[in-house]
Amino acid sequence: MGSLHENNVSFSPSLLVGEFKPLDHEEFRRQAHQMVDFIADYYKNIENYPVLSQVEPGYLRNRLPDTAPYLPEPFENILRDVQEDIIPGMTHWLSPNFFAFFPATVSSAAFVGEMLCTCFNAVGFNWLASPAATELEMVVMDWLAQLLNLPKSFMFSGSGGGVIQGTTSESIICALIAARDRALESLGAGGISKLAVYCSDQTHSTYSKACKLAGIFPCNIRIIPTTADNNFALSPIVLRRVIEADVASGLVPLFLCATVGTTSTTAIDPVSQLAEVADRYKIWLHVDAAYGGSACICPEFRHYLDGVERVDSLSLSPHKWLLSYLDCCCLWVKQPNLLVKALNTNPEYLRNKRSELGSVVDYKDWQIGTGRRFKALRLWFVMRSYGVANLQSHIRSDVRMAKMFEGFVKSDPWFEIVVPRTFSLVCFRFNPYKDSDPTYIELLNKKLLDSVNSTGRLYMTHTVAGEVYMLRFAVGTTLTEDRHVYAAWKLIKESAEALLKRSYYIV
Amino acid sequence: MGSLHENNVSFSPSLLVGEFKPLDHEEFRRQAHQMVDFIADYYKNIENYPVLSQVEPGYLRNRLPDTAPYLPEPFENILRDVQEDIIPGMTHWLSPNFFAFFPATVSSAAFVGEMLCTCFNAVGFNWLASPAATELEMVVMDWLAQLLNLPKSFMFSGSGGGVIQGTTSESIICALIAARDRALESLGAGGISKLAVYCSDQTHSTYSKACKLAGIFPCNIRIIPTTADNNFALSPIVLRRVIEADVASGLVPLFLCATVGTTSTTAIDPVSQLAEVADRYKIWLHVDAAYGGSACICPEFRHYLDGVERVDSLSLSPHKWLLSYLDCCCLWVKQPNLLVKALNTNPEYLRNKRSELGSVVDYKDWQIGTGRRFKALRLWFVMRSYGVANLQSHIRSDVRMAKMFEGFVKSDPWFEIVVPRTFSLVCFRFNPYKDSDPTYIELLNKKLLDSVNSTGRLYMTHTVAGEVYMLRFAVGTTLTEDRHVYAAWKLIKESAEALLKRSYYIV
């Protein structure tokens, strides 16, 4: 922020006093310290808030003015409004009693890493615009690849490389565009009508969205059904049959997305066998290991990635299970040149000798947008602050707590496990009269879910797979301990009992 | 993080001691306070660092270990390495002597807002997952729309609405997909081969990338040349001629991107006249006001948005000129239903009564990905902490400093303004012998740029428009004051003089 007279070479610092200085370092220090205490207290007291917000739609608009203020307001007033107006409308994702969706895990290390990323505000679109931002990202992507025991073909120290995206959606789009443009090079632009893509009915919904976004004809998106018998994994045999039919009808198989840990039930597609099929038809195989991939830093889970040496790309979101805060999705590719070919831009104003010599990585050519943050700091702080040992024990601890909950369910005659547990998600249902009407069981479970969530004491969600409605109990927010899992089970049991008592009179 | 025995309902808190607790609130407090002081000191001393990093490619890989540590490392060691290994590799975007690209402006208010966003780590994909995150975003998007004097048709309080994206690229893709899918509804999927899109040769390079990404045939992307006579604005007359030729050859005009403040020279496309053409051919008109839009919160600049009431969508990046840190790009649309239609997903596990009643906004259907952060907090903190009055004076101060620099250039016989200044970017060149060979002038300016940037005392970049190589002096990092602009000019002058002295012997 400047000051002073126009078009005048002379300079008088005294006139600077009393100006608008939005980054005065002492004011910054004061406010940021105050915010640290606010946040530390929030974490300390987080269990006191209802996990699922209990507000009604429109609650906030009614509380806030219609326009921004003309004059500044004190920091303290804004903090007060955070407490009074914002917090009641939060669903507290970091509450230890949050068992919905998948937990979005965090840590002190990632928080301070994120502060530093914000601090620099470096826009690392190319190497020169921030060498450290690019190079640290290359280093941490290789580190994480090693933790996962990925082959060298995915590492910068080998022949591949990795990049931090925001979300799985972005990772899939980038891989898909690279595959698409490689195919269109020989087919011509009109060939897009012939490209067929594959997934299962358990693949994340963002995959079909990404395919449509990339111009794949909706009629050429094959969503292959799975079954409970197969634990909702994509069958290589069925896949092959579908591909063969497509080839026979003149389509060109382009892309397959396999999942290690689906969002609904953590189903695991057999990567190795799918890679065989993909190989045969020259299909780009992407593995979405957004959630399940993190577990593979433990040797006992690594086998779920077996066959990864034969796939083309892999994505994993440390913001889910590696304590990293949002948003952080790691994408590794075997052939970075294909990404760059599809996604590069070369405006004059970004040209520089380093890029032209081809001696550096310019990450703008590995992603959708141009601008990008220095997110690698977060992963660097996490890996260094905790070490591989603690990260492994963190995964194991969550799985152990999920097993504990699974044990509660199994040992209770009123409840049942619906899909075998693999990682830290338990899919179960309340089924007190084993042979009753499926519609009635569904209704009962919906009522149970509503009743539990409306207490504010925990938050769970549901899913449907193989036409069965089930409850999802996803263990593992950073603050969750055994006592929270135990208390959750107790609440679920009590609510089920109350429901049953009432339903004697209702049904 | 849990603890304890498996499959056992009894519970003993004493066993919790000594565990891995990555979010212990007192440890968090200690580290975060330490980081605040680190950052405040960095801001205090930022002028001591070379603006443009002077490291060589690969510098960091050589300093860091090849693998992540197995055991934890102390926070203090990591901070030390930030100072010793990371900072030398930073190009300091927040340095007051950074005049490259466009500045990415920041503020204490946005920093603490961002801390709070990180703190909650709310994944606001739908309303229920965090009502406050969705509703505050709706509120601040309306507030900012009012600051810009946008018509009600872009506001939630009218018939439209806004959403916070990461980058302009994402905003353009979302608008483009909405337009594309509306068109394909009547044309059928095969119609994609007929869709033509329009921009000028000054439009951001991400636009063509977005079009290709969306499956628009590269041969149907019309990049219309501009000229220096017209200050590099897109001519509605030429546009119309191109469109007519396309229509005559059977193409379907789909989308036009107009820019208010291009990246190269801050050229301004005539929105109102372009809207007339777009209207006539039923083309979706998007305005990319990433940088220039922010100036329009001042009444004296608002006329650059005249005609916006006739466009379909508008994007603006507060991370550029509204003190907001990365990444934050605001997208307003007149018909949110078209965005939602093109981008919605509906997996079972996200279903909830609120969404099914249609009474709430689910922002996952307004963007590419599913997950999203609570970025609205940053804009809310900025607008409340500073008020409209200070935000306007911040814009004016930057423009005034740019005018001052423009004055220096104009008053010096060795230099000349190449493109008339509009906002806070000055496009100029060193041209001591007015009628010399253009190749020689270009060489001279390249040498001048290298010589200035290699001092580390400032960082400027260049561009080429109308085949003329010129230097870009973009004023306005948050910490820039008159004295920095003055010192920059002095350095440029001195370097030019030295260059001229040397070139007597070279040329």
Side-chain angles (χ1 to χ4, degrees), chain A residues 1 3-4 7 9 33 41 43 58 81 119 135 209 343 348 353 384 400 403 462 478 480 482, chain B residues 1 3-4 7 29 33 43 58 81 119 135 209 343 348 384 400 403 450 462 478 480 482 486:
Chain A
M1 301 304 305
S3 69
L4 273 153
N7 294 354
V9 180
H33 277 309
D41 291 343
Y43 287 154
D81 294 347
C119 154
E135 296 202 10
K209 181 166 159 178
L343 298 171
E348 181 64 41
K353 283 177 203 152
R384 293 191 64 187
R400 192 193 41 68
K403 274 189 191 164
H462 79 285
T478 305
T480 303
D482 291 50
Chain B
M1 303 304 304
S3 72
L4 275 153
N7 295 355
R29 202 186 297 267
H33 278 309
Y43 286 155
D81 294 347
C119 153
E135 297 204 9
K209 181 166 159 178
L343 298 170
E348 180 63 39
R384 292 192 63 187
R400 192 192 42 67
K403 274 189 191 163
D450 276 352
H462 79 284
T478 306
T480 302
D482 290 50
Y486 178 64

Side-chain angles (χ1 to χ4, degrees), chain A residues 38-83:
Chain A
F38 185 92
I39 294 172
D41 291 343
Y42 169 76
Y43 287 154
K44 186 174 167 186
N45 300 316
I46 196 165
E47 287 187 59
N48 300 337
Y49 301 114
V51 191
L52 177 64
S53 172
Q54 310 285 319
V55 299
E56 290 295 313
Y59 91 100
L60 192 59
R61 185 171 288 269
N62 298 333
R63 293 190 194 193
L64 300 185
D66 290 336
T67 52
Y70 186 72
L71 293 174
E73 297 183 58
F75 179 56
E76 287 68 19
N77 291 11
I78 308 175
L79 262 191
R80 179 203 60 208
D81 294 347
V82 168
Q83 193 66 52

Side-chain angles (χ1 to χ4, degrees), chain A residues 87-286:
Chain A
I87 286 187
M90 296 306 298
T91 292
H92 299 279
W93 279 71
L94 301 196
S95 165
N97 298 312
F98 182 99
F99 301 101
F101 312 115
F102 283 129
T105 60
V106 306
S107 60
S108 302
F111 193 96
V112 293
E114 173 65 13
M115 284 172 76
L116 200 58
C117 164
T118 306
C119 154
F120 289 132
N121 206 42
V123 191
F125 37 65
N126 59 21
W127 181 86
L128 191 64
S130 254
T134 297
E135 296 202 10
L136 190 67
E137 188 159 330
M138 295 168 73
V139 167
V140 298
M141 288 302 293
D142 269 14
W143 280 13
L144 193 49
Q146 271 162 335
L147 250 68
L148 294 163
N149 202 13
L150 296 186
K152 277 276 184 191
S153 53
F154 285 111
M155 298 186 207
F156 288 106
S157 60
S159 51
V163 56
I164 303 178
Q165 307 274 350
T167 59
T168 299
S169 314
E170 290 162 52
S171 294
I172 289 179
I173 289 173
C174 291
L176 181 63
I177 296 291
R180 186 198 69 180
D181 285 6
R182 179 177 62 176
L184 294 183
E185 213 169 85
S186 50
L187 294 172
I192 200 165
S193 65
K194 290 186 183 162
L195 301 177
V197 296
Y198 305 86
C199 67
S200 88
D201 59 5
Q202 299 300 309
T203 307
H204 197 285
S205 56
T206 204
Y207 175 67
S208 293
K209 181 166 159 178
C211 293
K212 282 183 226 157
L213 216 143
I216 304 298
F217 284 20
C219 58
N220 295 340
I221 302 174
R222 304 275 170 265
I223 299 175
I224 297 165
T226 59
T227 61
D229 299 345
N230 202 14
N231 287 336
F232 305 106
L234 175 58
S235 153
I237 298 163
V238 181
L239 171 71
R240 191 163 165 174
R241 216 177 299 143
V242 173
I243 293 174
E244 276 169 3
D246 281 344
V247 171
S249 70
L251 291 179
V252 178
L254 177 74
F255 198 92
L256 164 63
C257 181
T259 311
V260 173
T262 60
T263 312
S264 206
T265 65
T266 67
I268 293 167
D269 294 333
V271 175
S272 212
Q273 292 165 270
L274 294 172
E276 263 190 51
V277 180
D279 247 15
R280 193 184 167 91
Y281 296 94
K282 307 258 180 288
I283 294 175
W284 183 299
L285 174 51
H286 177 82

Side-chain angles (χ1 to χ4, degrees), chain B residues 56-277:
Chain B
E56 290 295 312
Y59 92 100
L60 192 59
R61 184 171 289 267
N62 299 333
R63 295 191 192 193
L64 300 186
D66 290 335
T67 51
Y70 186 72
L71 292 175
E73 298 183 57
F75 179 56
E76 288 66 21
N77 291 10
I78 308 176
L79 263 191
R80 179 202 62 209
D81 294 347
V82 169
Q83 192 67 53
E84 290 177 9
D85 295 331
I86 301 298
I87 285 186
M90 296 305 299
T91 292
H92 299 279
W93 279 71
L94 301 196
S95 164
N97 298 312
F98 181 99
F99 301 101
F101 313 113
F102 283 129
T105 60
V106 307
S107 60
S108 302
F111 193 95
V112 292
E114 174 64 13
M115 284 172 77
L116 201 58
C117 164
T118 307
C119 153
F120 289 131
N121 206 43
V123 191
F125 37 64
N126 59 20
W127 180 87
L128 191 65
S130 254
T134 297
E135 297 204 9
L136 191 67
E137 188 158 330
M138 295 168 73
V139 167
V140 299
M141 288 301 294
D142 270 15
W143 281 12
L144 192 49
Q146 270 162 336
L147 250 68
L148 294 163
N149 202 13
L150 296 186
K152 277 276 183 189
S153 52
F154 284 111
M155 298 186 207
F156 288 106
S157 60
S159 50
V163 55
I164 302 178
Q165 307 274 349
T167 59
T168 299
S169 314
E170 290 161 54
S171 294
I172 289 179
I173 288 173
C174 291
L176 180 64
I177 295 292
R180 185 198 68 180
D181 285 5
R182 179 177 61 176
L184 294 182
E185 213 169 86
S186 50
L187 295 172
I192 200 165
S193 65
K194 290 187 184 162
L195 299 178
V197 297
Y198 304 86
C199 67
S200 88
D201 58 5
Q202 299 299 309
T203 307
H204 197 285
S205 56
T206 204
Y207 176 67
S208 293
K209 181 166 159 178
C211 292
K212 281 181 226 156
L213 216 142
I216 304 298
F217 284 23
C219 58
N220 295 340
I221 301 175
R222 303 276 169 266
I223 299 175
I224 297 167
T226 58
T227 62
D229 301 345
N230 202 13
N231 288 335
F232 305 105
L234 174 58
S235 152
I237 298 162
V238 182
L239 171 70
R240 193 165 163 169
R241 217 176 297 142
V242 175
I243 292 174
E244 277 168 3
D246 282 345
V247 171
S249 70
L251 290 180
V252 178
L254 177 74
F255 198 91
L256 164 64
C257 180
T259 312
V260 173
T262 61
T263 312
S264 205
T265 65
T266 67
I268 293 166
D269 294 333
V271 175
S272 211
Q273 293 164 269
L274 294 172
E276 261 189 52
V277 182

Side-chain angles (χ1 to χ4, degrees), chain B residues 236 239 256 258 270-283 285 287 306-312 334:
Chain B
L239 171 70
L256 164 64
V271 175
S272 211
Q273 293 164 269
L274 294 172
E276 261 189 52
V277 182
D279 247 14
R280 193 183 167 91
Y281 296 94
K282 306 259 179 289
I283 294 175
L285 175 51
V287 172
D306 280 358
V308 71
E309 62 282 358
R310 300 175 65 186
V311 315
D312 298 283
K334 258 190 194 156

